[in-house]
Amino acid sequence: METISENACFGGVQGVYRHASAVLGCDMTFGLFLPAEARRHPVPVLWYLSGLTCTHENAMTKAGAQAHAAAHGLALVFPDTSPRGDGVADDDAFDLGQGAGFYVNATRDPWAKNYRMWDYITDELPRVLMAGFALEEDRQAITGHSMGGHGALSMAMQLPGRFASVSAFAPIANPTASDWGRKQFTAYLGADEGTWAAHDSSLLMLEHGFRGDLLIDQGASDQFLDLLRPEALAHAMAARRQSGTFRMQAGYDHSYFFVSSFIGEHIAFHAKALAK
């Protein structure tokens, strides 16, 4: 693993690292914030999955999360959103290919060779992190924004017991019924819609629910509401009688101004769950 940078940050260290991914077949870069406590003992982990077009860098530099994580003694992981490199398949559209991995394991060409983001986030990168840094494997939580919110919710519900809590900012909540989902699932997984349900948080909520603490924030002035379909997830939570909080935040849009406005509450929410 290569250290790209390490900077002092709120008493801890914000690092950026690169490693060779056997799962994705390319080099991958991730950000990791370690609070001061990590110098003395392993610390709990909060994963932050980013949205379309993002790299590891967007949330790391725009969300303002490190100060809140430092206050609670939490590590923050900022993975990339897709495989990258000259030999990795791509598309001219911003919402397919590099920067748009959708946190699935692609099964269709030309994507299947590299686009295995589900396995990367749930298996390979955790092994890299736990082997290389002072992190508690049995105390993890997950959050994400937009496409990353879709990934966080899908992983939390598909991997019971892995995460003590899950939250999301403006998640793509019903991708099987949205152009932010149907297009990508067709490309990555094929036309059989039966294979898509495992990556739709509204459908997963109806089938599985989540045994842990759950928090969703959605901007009521989000310019992408028709693509995100938050009402589908809210209805699924009500139908299942899922415990948790779903908040429509008046006046907020889809930007990192929205994320940074509520990231402190989300981190405090996860810290409380991880302390149980």
Side-chain angles (χ1 to χ4, degrees):
M1 185 163 51
E2 175 190 356
T3 299
I4 297 175
S5 63
E6 289 184 331
N7 298 95
C9 184
F10 295 103
V13 176
Q14 175 61 63
V16 177
Y17 308 94
R18 182 183 293 120
H19 72 110
S21 168
V23 167
L24 303 180
C26 62
D27 287 348
M28 291 294 285
T29 301
F30 64 90
L32 175 66
F33 171 74
L34 290 173
E37 289 85 346
R39 298 189 187 99
R40 302 188 298 273
H41 55 74
V43 295
V45 185
L46 175 59
W47 293 77
Y48 184 104
L49 304 187
S50 290
L52 286 167
T53 74
C54 291
T55 68
H56 70 281
E57 193 172 23
N58 295 72
M60 187 181 80
T61 59
K62 294 180 180 180
Q66 290 90 343
H68 302 288
H72 293 284
L74 299 183
L76 293 171
V77 182
F78 303 101
D80 204 344
T81 54
S82 77
R84 295 186 189 271
D86 292 339
V88 175
D90 200 6
D91 190 270
D92 290 337
F94 77 94
D95 58 357
L96 187 68
Q98 295 187 35
F102 261 76
Y103 303 102
V104 302
N105 287 340
T107 58
R108 309 286 291 183
D109 291 333
W111 314 104
K113 177 182 176 182
N114 302 104
Y115 283 74
R116 302 187 60 80
M117 286 300 293
W118 180 277
D119 283 352
Y120 177 69
I121 298 295
T122 65
D123 182 36
E124 186 180 36
L125 185 55
R127 287 190 282 107
V128 169
L129 289 167
M130 298 305 163
F133 302 96
L135 305 173
E136 291 190 62
E137 186 171 6
D138 60 351
R139 296 177 70 196
Q140 299 186 58
I142 192 167
T143 188
H145 174 226
S146 193
M147 180 184 72
H150 137 76
L153 290 166
S154 298
M155 291 174 184
M157 286 186 275
Q158 288 269 46
L159 301 170
R162 170 77 68 91
F163 302 107
S165 50
V166 60
S167 72
F169 299 88
I172 300 174
N174 188 204
T176 61
S178 168
D179 286 343
W180 275 0
R182 296 187 62 83
K183 172 184 176 178
Q184 294 80 7
F185 291 171
T186 300
Y188 296 148
L189 304 175
D192 180 5
E193 297 187 18
T195 66
W196 300 358
H199 301 286
D200 186 308
S201 58
S202 295
L203 300 180
L204 289 169
M205 179 59 67
L206 286 171
E207 183 176 357
H208 299 290
F210 179 65
R211 294 185 179 180
D213 296 337
L214 183 149
L215 171 62
I216 310 292
D217 270 318
Q218 171 64 61
S221 296
D222 194 314
Q223 60 270 46
F224 302 116
L225 280 173
D226 289 343
L227 291 165
L228 301 172
R229 294 182 51 81
E231 67 278 5
L233 180 57
H235 291 160
M237 289 175 63
R240 190 175 178 83
R241 300 177 181 177
Q242 170 74 43
S243 63
T245 301
F246 190 110
R247 307 187 298 195
M248 294 293 293
Q249 301 288 3
Y252 286 90
D253 59 16
H254 199 71
S255 70
Y256 265 95
F257 296 111
F258 161 60
V259 174
S260 62
S261 296
F262 298 100
I263 191 71
E265 294 179 41
H266 281 241
I267 290 176
F269 161 81
H270 290 294
K272 183 178 179 181
L274 289 164
K276 290 181 180 178

